[in-house]
Amino acid sequence: MPAALTVEREAARAGSAPGVAASAAALDDPLELERCTRWVSGPGGERLAESWLQLSGMYCAACAGTIEHALQAAGGAIEASVVAATQRATVRWDPARTRLSTLVGAVRAAGYEAVPDAAAPARALRRREHRQALWRFFVASFCAMQVMMFATPSYVASGDELSADLRQLLNWAAWFVSLPVMWFAAGPFFRAAWTQLRARRIGMDVPVALALAVTFVGSMGATFDPGGVFGTEVYFDSLTMFLAFLLGGRYLELRARHRAAEDLERTLARLPETVERRCGDGRWETVSVRRLQAGDEVRVALGQAFPADGVVLEGRTRVDEALLSGESEPQWRGAGDAVVAASVNVGAPVRVRVQRVGADTRFEAIVAMMREAMSQRPASARVADRWAAVFLWAVLGLAALGALAWSFIDPSRALWVAVAVLIVTCPCAFSLAAPAALVAAAGGLARRGVVFQRLEAIETLAAADAAFIDKTGTLTEDRLQLREVLLLPQARGETALDAASARVRAASLAQWSQHPLARTLVHAGDAGAAGAAAADGIAWHDLDEQRGRGLAGTDEDGRRWRLGAWDFVGGADEAPWPQVRVWLSCQGQVRAGFVLEEQLREGAAEAMARLRAHGLRLTLLSGDERARAEAMAARLGLDAAIGQASPEDKLACVAAAQAGGATVLMVGDGVNDAPVMARADVSLAMGQGALVARTQADAVIVSSRPADLVRAREVSTRTMAIVRQNMAWAALYNAACIPLALVGWLPPWAAGLGMATSSLFVILNALRAAR
């Protein structure tokens, strides 16, 4: 396809705003499918698709079960998980048996809306949902005010001040104004209740719809036939006020969900739609970022986000990686340095060689983790959902018993007592207590550089009482640092060599080796501009490296230099300083030794002290020799250290702690520690480059700052406290209000206000977890 046509079609796709009801062809297009789908292997090695959908029309936890049932009944869906708190679905399906458009159609046939979880259609869906929710709230509120005006004379009039004809006229007016409330504002509750009943499930919308229908029918009967079987009292004011309160609470809940979705969408929006790519003939063409491949050369302008992971070929700039690592200050990047997708070029234009694109990039790995976390239902939420179903049946039974009892006490009040019980006991607060707080916490931590893959991990992290922490790459940087240069006495006639010259000479020779110790010396030699220039100016020849021992080379003056172990450089007897790990010799005479030490990550000691203050027992796990591991543990104030630990030893340590009743947290690099991380109750990995994409940890500290590990622990502890507060509030509210409704002291309008206030309290309290 010609490049111009490719660009034109991609631009048209990027510039258009697809409607909510995406066509089947668009849903099944491979290029668009990959925006909301990843490919995984099934149990038998078959190729399966895992797609993310944004949903709307959900109002309770039972809706999640209805949608899951509809997806699995469509055929071809292997597994479906729906979370009401975020209105997202994750569907694993077999492309040989079904298509994404078929699954989306099944959701729509169940009475809900679904679109791929990609920016444009999801935004359109949220706008429509927000507009409809606002209109329903406005209609219910406005009509409630009008109905209250019609009802006020009946409340304030005494004796014969209000004639029967005028009272009847006001009742007729209230009935007429209530019609749009029942037809438009209450429509979603009736549709959802009908869908739940048709699926032989009971959700929170069933008692709400039942209460609305009974109140409206009873009041209408009293209006049309005063003194008949429904009596003379009408409750159009209670009906409209209850619905206004309920819709107001659900509107605030919807706004909270939309904010979480917008946070994720802003993350996705960091990638540019198009980028300049170099053609084989040297020309530059503008193409979609989805057309990039590894090895392409692209040009990134000032202010543009990097379209993929890559390495800088030409230019020097500053890169804003705040979104990915939480690092507030832009970082310098020059030729040979790595850059990551979605970080922003804030310094100068550069040319970049693409190394990883699409799902292989660090950015997409983070987004996938955020999506997965937002699409999971935590254990506490599943427990609440199960109890909510039992509770709903108990509510219906209580309402029936209350109506039966009052039919003997005061038949005119029996119906309204039942309505009040149905309204006040709607278990919205119970079902929202855990997922709302956990979703808010996950979103807040993600903005600070800690990305959870499992919401349940927040619960477990709060309960952890023992932590095993890997040393290298977790508490220390993944490279050593040069602490000191020690000079040996020089023989008579030798050229004087000071510490700076020794460091430059060692760095220059070390440039020809990829050994970690050699790279440390290169980094130390590059610390000063003069040193770097001097190191680059030395011409070496006759280079010879012996693996694991050292490197030798001849300089421009014909002198033979050696860099490496004591015996390799020509040292006799024992080395004078045991702490020296690398030696430098010239013409067989040892001239200098380099003391290298591990560099603690910034804030590591303070972070460990704060974790101990939080009640965690800290154990250092390391493959280094025992003395070095114990010295590091003492330096950091840890409780214990285990050195020379193999992967099997680490696994045994964690298993022993769990056998003793401990809830174990494991912190490591996410790859080398994969077996022990899988065994631990909860695991966090320091995220470095491509490790993020391969980690099996429950969460990734993208910033790699130990202080963020403490923040994750503090936020998880605070979040679970909020969950307990929400549960306690919901239980206390129901314990207080159900008896009041049963004895007839709580009218329907007050029950509606209480129920809406309870749900609103839970949502607002849950949002504190994001701080």
Side-chain angles (χ1 to χ4, degrees):
M1 181 183 293
L5 183 57
T6 300
V7 173
E8 181 180 351
R9 291 188 176 179
E10 292 293 341
R13 181 183 288 113
S16 63
V20 173
S23 67
L27 287 172
D28 298 327
D29 179 69
L31 190 61
E32 297 301 327
L33 190 63
E34 68 182 22
R35 299 176 63 191
C36 65
T37 301
R38 68 177 178 182
W39 300 96
V40 297
S41 296
E46 66 275 17
R47 188 170 183 254
L48 300 178
E50 189 171 271
S51 299
W52 302 284
L53 300 176
Q54 177 75 53
L55 307 171
S56 71
M58 298 177 61
Y59 296 99
C60 70
C63 298
T66 302
I67 296 175
E68 289 175 355
H69 178 75
L71 286 168
Q72 291 169 348
I78 309 300
E79 183 181 350
S81 173
V82 179
V83 181
T86 56
Q87 295 211 356
R88 281 190 173 84
T90 301
V91 188
R92 182 169 293 190
W93 51 283
D94 186 353
R97 298 169 53 199
T98 188
R99 296 179 298 176
L100 183 61
S101 58
T102 303
L103 299 174
V104 170
V107 175
R108 291 172 179 164
Y112 303 90
E113 186 57 79
V115 295
D117 189 5
R123 267 198 306 271
L125 182 62
R126 284 201 306 273
R127 280 196 300 268
R128 192 181 75 169
E129 188 177 27
H130 177 266
R131 184 169 58 250
Q132 290 178 344
L134 196 58
W135 266 108
R136 289 192 175 99
F137 176 55
F138 169 76
V139 169
S141 302
F142 181 79
C143 292
M145 289 187 289
Q146 307 308 310
V147 171
M148 280 303 300
M149 286 195 303
F150 298 139
T152 300
S154 298
Y155 289 118
V156 300
S158 60
D160 297 330
E161 290 182 349
L162 186 64
S163 65
D165 291 341
L166 186 55
R167 184 187 299 272
Q168 184 71 2
L169 179 62
L170 292 174
N171 288 346
W172 272 90
W175 169 79
F176 182 77
V177 175
S178 300
L179 289 177
V181 176
M182 293 297 292
W183 172 72
F184 177 69
F189 298 100
F190 289 109
R191 285 193 294 271
W194 174 246
T195 301
Q196 292 163 11
L197 292 174
R198 195 172 55 181
R200 297 183 179 180
R201 296 172 179 271
I202 183 169
M204 297 172 209
D205 291 308
V206 172
V208 171
L210 185 59
L212 291 174
V214 169
T215 305
F216 184 76
V217 171
S219 297
M220 186 171 62
T223 300
F224 282 93
D225 184 19
V229 66
F230 293 106
T232 58
E233 295 295 328
V234 297
Y235 288 90
F236 293 118
D237 53 340
S238 298
L239 169 72
T240 53
M241 284 181 62
F242 161 63
L243 198 55
F245 294 145
L246 182 58
L247 290 173
R250 290 199 171 182
Y251 174 74
L252 293 175
E253 177 192 342
L254 178 138
R255 289 299 304 146
R257 286 200 313 267
H258 283 189
R259 277 197 297 271
E262 287 161 2
D263 287 341
L264 179 58
E265 188 175 290
R266 278 193 292 270
T267 303
L268 288 166
R270 292 293 291 264
L271 279 181
E273 288 290 334
T274 59
V275 68
E276 287 187 285
R277 180 178 65 183
R278 192 167 193 169
C279 303
D281 57 5
R283 293 184 302 104
W284 293 92
E285 64 173 351
T286 302
V287 298
S288 166
V289 293
R290 292 186 288 277
R291 298 292 183 186
L292 288 180
Q293 297 179 350
D296 285 346
E297 182 180 335
V298 298
R299 187 162 56 190
V300 182
L302 176 64
Q304 187 180 19
F306 289 91
D309 289 357
V311 62
V312 178
L313 294 178
E314 182 182 340
R316 181 172 172 80
T317 186
R318 299 178 74 198
V319 177
D320 180 5
E321 298 179 350
L323 177 91
L324 301 170
S325 67
E327 180 62 54
S328 58
E329 292 294 325
Q331 305 297 301
W332 284 104
R333 296 288 185 267
D337 291 334
V339 291
V340 295
S343 58
V344 181
N345 180 11
V346 296
V350 291
R351 289 193 296 112
V352 174
R353 175 78 66 192
V354 174
Q355 293 181 323
R356 290 179 295 274
V357 297
D360 295 331
T361 64
R362 183 184 184 189
F363 167 74
E364 288 290 348
I366 293 172
V367 170
M369 281 186 254
M370 292 174 66
R371 275 177 170 155
E372 191 167 347
M374 294 294 187
S375 299
Q376 288 180 345
R377 189 180 301 162
S380 57
R382 291 195 294 269
V383 172
D385 290 346
R386 287 197 296 270
W387 279 105
V390 175
F391 183 75
L392 284 171
W393 282 111
V395 164
L396 294 176
L398 278 176
L401 289 175
L404 180 62
W406 275 93
S407 66
F408 294 103
I409 300 170
D410 185 355
S412 65
R413 300 182 62 186
L415 185 62
W416 312 121
V417 167
V419 169
V421 172
L422 288 172
I423 292 174
V424 80
T425 53
C426 181
C428 296
F430 268 122
S431 291
L432 291 171
L438 293 173
V439 167
L445 285 170
R447 289 192 294 271
R448 293 170 175 82
V450 182
V451 183
F452 274 84
Q453 297 190 85
R454 293 191 309 114
L455 285 183
E456 290 182 14
I458 297 178
E459 302 177 50
T460 312
L461 179 58
D465 51 16
F468 290 84
I469 305 176
D470 181 58
K471 178 174 67 68
T472 305
T474 304
L475 295 174
T476 63
E477 299 286 356
D478 52 6
R479 64 175 183 273
L480 300 173
Q481 66 176 355
L482 176 62
R483 190 185 76 185
E484 188 178 5
V485 179
L486 301 177
L487 300 176
L488 278 77
Q490 301 177 18
R492 186 184 300 275
E494 289 182 344
T495 303
L497 187 71
D498 57 19
S501 300
R503 185 172 64 185
V504 170
R505 184 71 60 171
S508 176
L509 184 56
Q511 287 180 350
W512 297 92
S513 173
Q514 292 299 316
H515 193 278
L517 298 182
R519 304 319 300 171
T520 299
L521 292 175
V522 171
H523 180 75
D526 289 344
D536 290 338
I538 301 175
W540 297 97
H541 56 90
D542 295 335
L543 291 162
D544 177 37
E545 181 174 11
Q546 295 185 22
R547 185 176 181 85
R549 299 193 64 217
L551 175 70
T554 304
D555 65 13
E556 62 271 20
D557 296 326
R559 295 176 296 179
R560 191 67 173 174
W561 294 81
R562 287 178 174 267
L563 181 70
W566 172 254
D567 58 344
F568 175 78
V569 300
D573 301 325
E574 291 187 0
W577 300 299
Q579 70 270 32
V580 173
R581 302 182 66 178
V582 182
W583 300 88
L584 178 69
S585 70
C586 180
Q587 298 293 91
Q589 297 294 320
V590 182
R591 307 292 294 275
F594 302 92
V595 179
L596 306 178
E597 67 176 4
E598 292 176 306
Q599 181 180 357
L600 280 177
R601 291 191 183 275
E602 182 180 356
E606 295 82 355
M608 296 302 103
R610 289 172 63 187
L611 286 177
R612 290 192 68 191
H614 278 282
L616 283 170
R617 174 179 170 79
L618 306 180
T619 301
L620 182 70
L621 291 180
S622 176
D624 289 348
E625 60 185 28
R626 288 187 176 87
R628 191 177 301 169
E630 290 171 355
M632 178 62 71
R635 181 179 174 186
L636 292 170
L638 306 187
D639 297 292
I642 300 174
Q644 294 179 314
S646 65
E648 292 77 13
D649 295 332
K650 294 180 180 181
L651 205 59
C653 291
V654 169
Q658 290 172 324
T663 301
V664 174
L665 160 67
M666 177 66 199
V667 186
D669 64 7
V671 176
N672 297 329
D673 300 316
V676 70
M677 282 189 159
R679 177 59 188 263
D681 297 291
V682 60
S683 56
L684 281 80
M686 293 291 180
Q688 292 290 332
L691 295 182
V692 175
R694 302 197 302 269
T695 183
Q696 297 299 312
D698 296 317
V700 173
I701 303 175
V702 184
S703 63
S704 296
R705 290 192 295 261
D708 287 336
L709 171 60
V710 182
R711 178 180 286 115
R713 166 73 175 194
E714 292 174 344
V715 170
S716 64
T717 303
R718 185 172 70 247
T719 299
M720 295 315 298
I722 291 173
V723 170
R724 288 190 292 272
Q725 291 169 8
N726 287 345
M727 290 288 192
W729 165 260
L732 181 63
Y733 159 77
N734 281 281
C737 292
I738 291 176
L740 293 177
L742 286 172
V743 299
W745 292 353
L746 197 67
W749 69 266
L753 177 60
M755 191 273 289
T757 302
S758 176
S759 298
L760 180 60
F761 173 84
V762 166
I763 290 294
L764 295 179
N765 193 40
L767 292 179
R768 296 193 300 116
R771 297 176 185 172

